[in-house]
């Protein structure tokens, strides 16, 4: 029972740390590093870390591609119901074609278009935030893994 509880708490602890660190970096640097879709990204990178959707390429690439798509639609066509729908749809296609599918990134065009974001949104919070999220999740996974130099007692006993 305790092991199961701990297993469920580890992803929550990772997400807590990631969001907290992104927010603290934001306060220190003055750069926007958080956006709502990163909360959903935390679910994937911490609760489903072995999923193809959690790969750094998918997290960073998916958010960048979807944000570019949203920015292009906003700045070429403006804010309309159809641009929201078309930008999300095209983001899905582009993420599939580029093998960078990351479901939380599907929300990026909505955030961009509804906020009326400028092109700088691509760098901060999207690119910088996604890179930091990937870095934090990699550090978290490294800390969570048992030391590679230690072998389980069963394995070392069987090798004798």
């Amino acid at each position: 029972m305790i092991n199961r509880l701990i297993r469920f708490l580890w992803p929550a602890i990772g997400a807590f740390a990631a969001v907290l660190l992104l927010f603290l970096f934001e306060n220190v640097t003055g750069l926007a590093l958080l956006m709502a879709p990163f909360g959903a990204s935390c679910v994937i990178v911490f609760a489903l870390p072995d999923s193809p959707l959690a790969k750094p390429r998918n997290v960073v690439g998916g958010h960048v591609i979807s944000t570019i798509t949203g920015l292009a639609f906003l700045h070429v066509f403006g804010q309309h119901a159809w641009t929201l729908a078309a930008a999300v749809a095209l983001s899905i296609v582009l993420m599939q074609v580029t093998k960078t599918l990351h479901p939380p990134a599907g929300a990026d065009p909505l955030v961009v278009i509804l906020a009326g974001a400028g092109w700088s949104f691509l760098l901060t919070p999207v690119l910088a935030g996604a890179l930091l999220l990937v870095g934090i999740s990699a550090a978290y996974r490294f800390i969570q893994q048992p030391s590679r130099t230690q072998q389980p007692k069963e394995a070392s006993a069987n090798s004798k």
Side-chain angles (χ1 to χ4, degrees), residues 47-122:
L48 301 168
D50 296 324
S51 166
L53 305 173
K55 290 181 180 175
R57 169 189 170 93
N58 293 61
V59 176
V60 176
H63 280 296
V64 167
I65 287 168
S66 294
T67 299
I68 290 171
T69 304
L71 287 165
F73 270 81
L74 173 64
H75 292 284
V76 172
F77 303 112
Q79 184 184 49
H80 307 285
W82 74 268
T83 56
L84 290 164
V88 169
L90 183 58
S91 292
I92 293 169
V93 170
L94 293 173
M95 284 189 287
Q96 289 180 97
V97 167
T98 59
K99 296 180 169 77
T100 58
L101 190 62
H102 185 66
D108 294 1
L110 301 176
V111 171
V112 166
I113 294 170
L114 292 173
W119 285 95
S120 64
F121 193 85
L122 180 60

Side-chain angles (χ1 to χ4, degrees), residues 121-145:
F121 193 85
L122 180 60
L123 296 177
T124 60
V126 176
L127 181 59
L131 288 171
L132 280 169
L133 179 58
V134 164
I136 293 165
S137 69
Y140 172 82
R141 288 186 75 174
F142 180 78
I143 290 167
Q144 194 180 20
Q145 290 177 359

